[in-house]
Amino acid sequence: MRRVVFNQKGGVGKSTITSNLAAIAAHQGRRTLLVDLDRQGNSSRYLLGASADLADEATPGSAEFFDSTLKFSIRAPKTSDFIVETPWENLHLMPASPLLDELHSKLESRYKIYKLREALVELGADYDEIWIDTPPSLNFYTRSALIAADTCLIPFDCDEFARRALYELLDNVKEIQADHNAELAVEGIIVNQFQARAALPQRTVQALIDEGLPVLAPYLSASVKVKESHELARPMIHLDPRHKLTQEFVALYQGLGAGK
């Protein structure tokens, strides 16, 4: 199963959601890979901690993988050469780096848009689940991820601007389905930073449900604990398994096909 977590809007929790769901999958014994395609490398730092800064310089990752697709070599590297272990059992990572920016135009002009799908298919026997974190824009890397994925999860923060942007996002996914990946499915919308006592988030989410959009439950509560988990580079399942937000992540994961 290959999932992409995607939203063109920044600050909606893509990296937090991707990293925590992947960590839960691994914690439950699933062989799990997270592919970080965002040049900011938030997922990479979340899972590797301080060693992610060293990985930027010394460890091959998603940028080096894409760079390798621009070159022809009889001894081409394996996709597994661009993957590192994390401190968490069963959880591997293809880390990101700022080099992704430098490669973007070259990859677009050479039409390497299917290379990620080919690589992840190659890894199919090695992993039960592959999670893809994407940049906050519809660019080459995001399109590559949507083409490579079986399903798409959409983080949503509860405001009117996010709601309006959601329709454009869904249209972009439909375009990828029509032109490149007919099997891609929108698995659901993940409501993030939900404040149950506030009226506006409730109205906004209910409007999505009334329109027939696939809003997933439970909603992820707003919590300062997740900021602590970022600082300590410990996904919630490893920081505080009994915390309310951790239990919401677990329930959300269990509700997905991968959790069954």
Side-chain angles (χ1 to χ4, degrees), residues 121-251:
V121 168
E122 174 192 324
L123 293 173
D126 298 330
Y127 295 100
D128 299 309
E129 298 184 27
I130 297 175
W131 294 79
I132 312 172
D133 188 15
T134 55
S137 61
L138 186 65
N139 63 12
F140 170 86
Y141 299 114
T142 308
R143 289 188 177 92
S144 292
L146 290 167
I147 289 169
D150 298 309
T151 69
C152 174
L153 292 166
I154 303 169
F156 177 79
D157 54 356
C158 304
D159 65 41
E160 186 62 21
F161 292 136
R163 182 186 169 197
R164 292 178 183 274
L166 181 62
Y167 303 119
E168 181 182 357
L169 184 156
L170 290 170
D171 285 342
N172 288 329
V173 171
K174 289 178 182 176
E175 183 179 357
I176 294 291
Q177 290 171 324
D179 294 345
H180 302 287
N181 184 2
E183 302 303 316
L184 177 65
V186 176
E187 193 165 9
I189 297 167
I190 297 176
V191 177
N192 193 32
Q193 298 286 322
F194 185 71
Q195 296 174 313
R197 296 183 180 180
L200 178 59
Q202 293 186 29
R203 289 200 306 270
T204 304
V205 173
Q206 188 59 48
L208 299 182
I209 295 171
D210 291 344
E211 292 173 18
L213 295 177
V215 178
L216 300 176
Y219 310 151
L220 301 176
S221 302
S223 173
V224 296
K225 194 71 174 181
V226 76
K227 295 182 178 180
E228 181 183 343
S229 78
H230 293 160
E231 181 182 7
L232 297 175
R234 295 181 68 87
M236 291 294 294
I237 193 68
H238 298 293
L239 178 65
D240 189 346
R242 297 185 180 180
H243 193 274
K244 177 185 177 183
L245 179 58
T246 307
Q247 292 304 305
E248 289 168 352
F249 271 120
V250 171

